Amino acid sequence: MSAGTPSDRVPEVLDAWRMVSARRGVEGRLPLSALTRLEGSLLDTKGEVRFALEFDRDSLQVPYVELRIDAQLPLVCQRSMDRFLLPVRIVQRLGLIRDEADEAALPEGYEPLLVPDDGELRTTELVEDELILAVPVVPVKPGSEAVERDWPATQVEQERANPFAALSALKKPDK
């Protein structure tokens, strides 16, 4: 996270095309409490997100913004029901496009980012969108996989878990 200086005062809105032309970047920190769309996926909003946005053009002159995000997201493990911090480190290159038709021209490895006509990108929204995508559908605390390995389900427990097992006993054998 080299370009720019770390700051608690993150620009709310960036002019994407001006940032690309100047080959500029910004970096900063956001409290998790500022990410209202992400909040519903988290156990609490204690903590912060560090990020950097670097604007430039690649060798094919494709304008992009590279996001670097570092966070610890407080989640509830769905196996143990314990609070845990999910380490999230994202490096994502977003190809800046003016029209959805431009998406096909993006090089491999780029995700499309449709830039509004006014060129304005909201810093918090960019960071929050990537974090929302990083939250697992079923959060599981690292290391909790060992529970199943150390205490596998018995044959009786597996039969009880199958509600149709009792029906197989009622089935008449074919003669």
Side-chain angles (χ1 to χ4, degrees):
M1 298 189 190
S2 58
T5 57
S7 158
D8 291 335
R9 293 194 37 88
V10 177
E12 187 177 323
V13 178
L14 299 170
D15 183 326
W17 306 120
R18 192 172 288 171
M19 295 293 285
V20 167
S21 294
R23 300 177 69 188
R24 293 205 38 220
V26 297
E27 61 181 79
R29 300 169 192 262
L30 290 167
L32 288 175
S33 59
L35 308 176
T36 55
R37 292 180 296 130
L38 178 65
E39 191 175 347
S41 301
L42 304 177
L43 177 63
D44 56 61
T45 56
K46 294 177 185 140
E48 67 178 14
V49 178
R50 291 190 343 250
F51 69 91
L53 306 174
E54 300 289 334
F55 291 83
D56 204 347
R57 289 184 183 275
D58 67 10
S59 59
L60 299 173
Q61 296 304 304
V62 174
Y64 68 84
V65 58
E66 186 170 279
L67 284 82
R68 294 181 179 275
I69 301 171
D70 190 9
Q72 300 275 329
L73 301 181
L75 302 174
V76 175
C77 174
Q78 295 304 299
R79 284 198 176 130
S80 66
M81 301 311 286
D82 292 334
R83 179 186 193 271
F84 76 101
L85 294 175
L86 177 71
V88 175
R89 285 177 183 70
I90 299 170
V91 176
Q92 180 68 51
R93 191 169 276 195
L94 304 174
L96 304 177
I97 58 175
R98 295 176 193 269
D99 188 276
E100 289 180 15
D102 298 339
E103 182 178 343
L106 289 176
E108 190 174 324
Y110 282 61
E111 289 293 321
L113 178 62
L114 185 60
V115 178
D117 291 337
D118 60 10
E120 292 185 349
L121 295 178
R122 305 210 173 283
T123 309
T124 303
E125 287 179 15
L126 282 174
V127 173
E128 189 171 20
D129 287 347
E130 292 302 317
L131 287 172
I132 288 170
L133 293 172
V135 174
V137 175
V138 179
V140 178
K141 181 178 178 178
S144 65
E145 312 83 38
V147 170
E148 287 181 12
R149 187 178 61 242
D150 294 343
W151 291 287
T154 65
Q155 182 66 30
V156 173
E157 289 173 323
Q158 288 178 353
E159 288 172 7
R160 279 192 204 142
N162 182 352
F164 299 106
L167 294 177
S168 66
L170 298 175
K171 193 174 170 186
K172 294 180 184 175
D174 293 337
K175 291 189 181 185

